[in-house]
Amino acid sequence: MPAGVTGDESGALEDLAEAEGISGRGPMKLHQADVYMNRARLRLGWHLRGQDAQLEEIPKDVTRAKELIEQTGYHRRDREMSELEQALGAAGR
């Protein structure tokens, strides 16, 4: 079971870091975009629950995901990206 599902926050970040490393080795920009979006969502969720979420990292992940989406034409994620940006704005970031 993925670490994020079990409540293992540090394990979830480790899983995403591993996925980022794997996707960075080859032409897997779509997977990289997903990693950045999921890491931003994970940290945003922690922030909303009052946990330490490294808030300064969330906009960086959102920006990088958005860049990759534009570069690749991965517009299946446009709605999700818009929702993530709205949630980030509502959280004051």
Side-chain angles (χ1 to χ4, degrees):
M1 186 174 297
V5 174
T6 63
D8 178 8
E9 288 119 3
S10 63
L13 285 177
E14 289 172 15
D15 289 348
L16 287 168
E18 182 179 2
E20 181 180 10
I22 291 168
S23 65
R25 292 185 209 141
M28 295 184 251
K29 290 184 180 186
L30 303 182
H31 295 291
Q32 285 179 314
D34 286 341
V35 166
Y36 292 124
M37 288 179 69
N38 284 317
R39 189 167 44 211
R41 279 192 282 247
L42 184 66
R43 286 183 169 142
L44 187 57
W46 294 340
H47 169 69
L48 295 175
R49 291 193 313 268
Q51 296 171 291
D52 178 27
Q54 297 177 322
L55 284 179
E56 67 281 356
E57 296 299 319
I58 299 171
K60 295 175 190 176
D61 283 337
V62 169
T63 298
R64 187 64 184 127
K66 197 169 188 173
E67 289 170 353
L68 288 169
I69 288 168
E70 289 301 316
Q71 286 174 12
T72 60
Y74 191 33
H75 296 290
R76 290 182 63 189
R77 295 290 189 242
D78 285 347
R79 182 177 51 84
E80 292 173 62
M81 178 56 68
S82 177
E83 291 169 357
L84 180 57
E85 289 177 314
Q86 288 175 1
L88 189 58
R93 297 301 297 168

